[in-house]
Amino acid sequence: MKKADRILKHEEFAQIAKKGQRYHGKNIALHYLVRKDGRARVGITVSKKNGNAVTRNLIKRQIRSILDENLVMDTPIDLIVLARYSYDTEKFRANKDELVGGLKAIGASKIEEV
């Protein structure tokens, strides 16, 4: 994911969380704000409740990997992915299915419904 495709500033996170729409899953929550033009931008948030720095970085790497495979970057959307406390790094496949389902629900997935 390129730096231009990431959301880094606290003000932008706060604006998307306040004005945007939400999708809640068991382990992942999505906050998104549809824009008029441009590419998708993504921010990932992992709380200290999820574990130490090594665990939090693993969670972020897993989420980035899933997004690289499944997010349509041409969609004009700002997306924040929040890993909940119940996110388990050992259950990657279940987490992937949940995140892909959330992307489908908001219309930003590469995978089409069959």
Side-chain angles (χ1 to χ4, degrees), residues 1 4 7-8 16-18 22 25 31 34-35 38 45 48 56 66 68 70 76-77 82 89-92 95 102 108:
M1 198 175 312
I7 300 170
L8 300 173
I16 295 166
K18 183 177 179 182
R22 293 169 179 82
H31 293 259
V34 178
R35 300 186 301 157
T45 315
K48 286 187 177 182
R56 293 193 309 269
I66 296 167
D68 285 342
N70 297 294
I77 192 170
L82 293 123
T89 57
E90 300 296 321
K91 298 179 181 175
F92 179 74
N95 294 328

Side-chain angles (χ1 to χ4, degrees), residues 38-104:
R39 292 175 46 92
R41 295 187 317 152
V42 179
I44 301 171
T45 315
V46 182
S47 170
K48 286 187 177 182
K49 291 180 181 180
N50 289 78
N52 62 12
V54 175
T55 304
R56 293 193 309 269
N57 286 328
L58 174 62
I59 292 170
K60 288 188 266 187
R61 284 195 311 271
Q62 286 182 351
I63 291 172
R64 265 189 236 110
S65 170
I66 296 167
L67 291 174
D68 285 342
E69 292 177 6
N70 297 294
L71 179 65
V72 178
M73 293 305 291
D74 293 332
T75 306
I77 192 170
D78 285 342
L79 176 67
I80 298 174
V81 180
L82 293 123
R84 293 180 179 234
Y85 177 69
S86 59
Y87 188 99
D88 186 4
T89 57
E90 300 296 321
K91 298 179 181 175
F92 179 74
R93 185 66 193 169
N95 294 328
K96 180 177 180 176
D97 291 342
E98 183 177 347
L99 183 53
V100 170
L103 292 175
K104 286 180 188 175

